[in-house]
């Protein structure tokens, strides 16, 4: 078993928990998003892929906003129970990359509050696969009856990873739809490639590490007044 955060208070678990209305609503939104993204990735309706993803990501971020605005969830156990192998979404990633070519790559600022931040190249396909992996991890807890653990994980990973990832991809998807609907052709994507600058990837990883370190130090602790 892996430690979710070192200062989480321990509680005695008394078996599977009964989800309240909030937990059920969040779970339903998350499961709907996962199923919808997998359906889009099949490629049966490529012309509608971007509008469908825009809709699904928008609805998911509503669930994320509710999680972010909620007081901190504290799970029953100090250490995260094992949910088995981590989700491998490489197949989903590859299917989406092929489907969204050549508009898969977009530019994003990792942290809008860092002065003079340099935009980095990202991929919608990577974003969707990463978000699905995060959400699926929490869904495994939910289905096992560990409701507080699932909510804690979804809230923590929303603040530390999938919230910003989904928000960035939403901006890209909205821009694509706007270009089409407003009859404003995209400029040629010259040089916009996630592999064009190795420093971008390293810098992004370093920034992500700082955020994760900060969040791990805060999430799950008892609030001090």
């Amino acid at each position: 078993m892996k430690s979710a955060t070192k200062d989480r208070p321990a509680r005695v678990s008394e078996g599977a928990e009964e989800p309240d209305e909030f937990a059920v609503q969040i779970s339903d939104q998350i499961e709907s998003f996962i199923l919808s993204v997998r359906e889009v990735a099949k490629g049966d309706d490529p012309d509608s892929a971007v509008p469908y993803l825009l809709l699904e990501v928008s609805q998911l971020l509503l669930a994320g906003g509710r999680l972010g605005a909620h007081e901190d969830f504290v799970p029953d156990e100090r250490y995260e129970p094992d949910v088995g192998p981590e989700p491998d979404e490489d197949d989903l990633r590859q299917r989406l990359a092929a489907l969204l070519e050549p508009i898969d790559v977009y530019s994003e600022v990792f942290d809008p509050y860092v002065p003079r931040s340099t935009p980095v190249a990202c991929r919608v396909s990577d974003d969707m696969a990463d978000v699905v992996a995060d959400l699926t991890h929490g869904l495994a807890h939910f289905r096992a009856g560990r409701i507080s653990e699932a909510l804690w994980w979804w809230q923590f990973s929303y603040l530390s990873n999938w919230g910003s990832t989904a928000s960035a991809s939403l901006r890209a998807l909205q821009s694509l739809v706007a270009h089409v609907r407003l009859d404003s052709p995209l400029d040629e994507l010259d040089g916009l490639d996630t592999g064009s600058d190795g420093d971008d990837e390293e810098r992004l990883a370093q920034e992500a590490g700082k955020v994760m370190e900060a969040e791990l130090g805060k999430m799950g602790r008892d609030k001090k007044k």
Side-chain angles (χ1 to χ4, degrees), residues 1 30 68 83 99 107 122 135 156 185 207:
M1 300 196 309
I30 284 174
V83 294
L99 181 65
S107 293
C122 304
L135 299 178
F156 167 72
E207 292 294 337

Side-chain angles (χ1 to χ4, degrees), residues 104-172:
D104 190 22
V105 182
Y106 68 96
S107 293
E108 176 62 15
V109 175
F110 182 72
D111 189 339
Y113 283 100
V114 174
R116 296 178 296 280
S117 295
T118 302
V120 296
C122 304
R123 290 182 181 273
V124 175
S125 57
D126 289 344
D127 293 348
M128 294 297 96
D130 290 347
V131 170
V132 167
D134 269 350
L135 299 178
T136 300
H137 183 93
L139 196 58
H141 285 305
F142 188 87
R143 289 170 173 168
R146 296 186 290 268
I147 310 304
S148 60
E149 185 72 47
L151 290 171
W152 179 86
W153 171 258
W154 283 330
Q155 183 187 61
F156 167 72
S157 56
Y158 166 75
L159 295 172
S160 62
N161 187 45
W162 72 259
S164 59
T165 300
S167 297
S169 61
L170 178 67
R171 179 72 181 90

Side-chain angles (χ1 to χ4, degrees), residues 191 193-203:
D193 186 1
T194 54
S196 61
D197 187 355
D199 292 338
D200 283 350
E201 185 175 349
E202 182 178 355
R203 180 166 56 251

Side-chain angles (χ1 to χ4, degrees), residues 30-51:
I30 284 174
E31 188 164 14
S32 175
F33 173 81
I34 294 172
L35 292 173
S36 297
V37 172
R38 295 195 187 285
E39 192 66 26
V40 169
K42 292 179 180 179
D44 295 337
D45 190 4
D47 292 341
S48 299
V50 169

Side-chain angles (χ1 to χ4, degrees), residues 18 22 48 76 87 94 102 142 190 208:
E18 286 296 327
F22 177 84
S48 299
D76 288 338
Q94 292 170 13
F142 188 87
D190 184 21

Side-chain angles (χ1 to χ4, degrees), residues 46-84:
D47 292 341
S48 299
V50 169
Y52 278 147
L53 289 176
L54 174 64
L55 176 61
E56 294 302 327
V57 175
S58 298
Q59 292 177 335
L60 175 68
L61 284 172
L62 173 60
R66 295 178 69 192
L67 287 165
H70 201 285
E71 64 183 12
D72 289 354
F73 292 103
V74 180
D76 288 338
E77 301 179 32
R78 182 179 180 86
Y79 296 99
E80 181 183 0
D82 187 11
V83 294

